[in-house]
Amino acid sequence: MIDNNTHFIGFLPPPDIRRVVESDRKWSEKYGCRSGHSTPVHVTLVPPFSSQKSTREIKDTLNGILPLLSPFSSKVEGYGSFGNRTIFLRVEPSGDWDNLSKTLSKGLKAMGERVKVENKPLVPHLTVANRDIPPNKFDFLFSSLSSHSFSSIFIVDSVALFHREGRGWRVDEEDILRIGM
């Protein structure tokens, strides 16, 4: 299957949270989990989409939307999973996350981008292991990760425009855009 997606929008958590997820990812690699590990740790706000526009043009669109939004506080605490395919660090869901995701998606769609606008609440999370978890290792991995407690409160004050680079995703410093500016 050819993936023609060129961009997605996410939130890059603070360094202390990124370090926890990166450490968990590295540990999970000993058990065969590598899917998605080359993508920087993030919360997905607008899933991957295909655009004919340049990164600069998409950033201009986002810079027209972001002043309409306000930074907000959020929290990570504990681990969760989507079935036995994905293990993640749990980010507390809120109306703020939903509003951020929907406002970005609707704004991009209004500018002609083919993005999916979800009608269901966003489940914000930071992926540790995804898609390639060996079935006989899931329970062990999940219970091991869940056994260490981690909690952190942080401010969501920016979004990052990721772009396709080969088979992976990349975000450059200039592609991190401030909310409410």
Side-chain angles (χ1 to χ4, degrees), residues 9-153:
I9 300 169
F11 167 73
L12 297 170
D16 63 322
I17 297 171
R18 280 198 303 260
R19 281 191 294 273
V20 168
V21 176
E22 288 164 356
S23 174
D24 290 344
R25 284 177 171 184
K26 186 146 188 69
W27 175 79
S28 74
E29 287 175 3
K30 293 190 285 189
Y31 302 96
C33 303
R34 287 178 178 76
S35 178
H37 289 191
S38 62
T39 302
V41 174
H42 67 280
V43 173
T44 301
L45 299 169
V46 177
F49 60 96
S50 178
S51 179
Q52 300 301 312
K53 295 180 182 159
S54 69
T55 297
R56 172 83 254 153
E57 291 171 303
I58 298 170
K59 281 174 30 180
D60 289 345
T61 298
L62 293 174
N63 281 324
I65 299 167
L66 292 173
L68 307 173
L69 298 163
S70 297
F72 59 92
S73 178
S74 191
K75 180 179 184 179
V76 292
E77 185 165 35
Y79 291 81
S81 70
F82 297 127
N84 62 357
R85 290 180 45 104
T86 303
I87 298 173
F88 54 84
L89 188 59
R90 190 184 311 271
V91 177
E92 190 173 86
S94 71
D96 290 320
W97 283 110
D98 291 336
N99 182 53
L100 178 57
S101 175
K102 283 183 176 48
T103 301
L104 292 170
S105 295
K106 287 178 182 178
L108 287 167
K109 193 170 190 82
M111 298 304 289
E113 296 299 343
R114 293 185 308 248
V115 298
K116 189 174 181 181
V117 179
E118 295 286 349
N119 290 323
K120 59 186 179 186
L122 181 71
V123 181
H125 62 280
L126 299 162
T127 302
V128 172
N130 182 33
R131 292 192 308 266
D132 61 357
I133 303 170
N136 63 337
K137 296 292 183 195
F138 178 85
D139 290 337
F140 168 74
L141 290 168
F142 186 72
S143 66
S144 295
L145 289 167
S146 297
S147 70
H148 56 290
S149 61
F150 179 77
S151 178
S152 182
I153 295 173

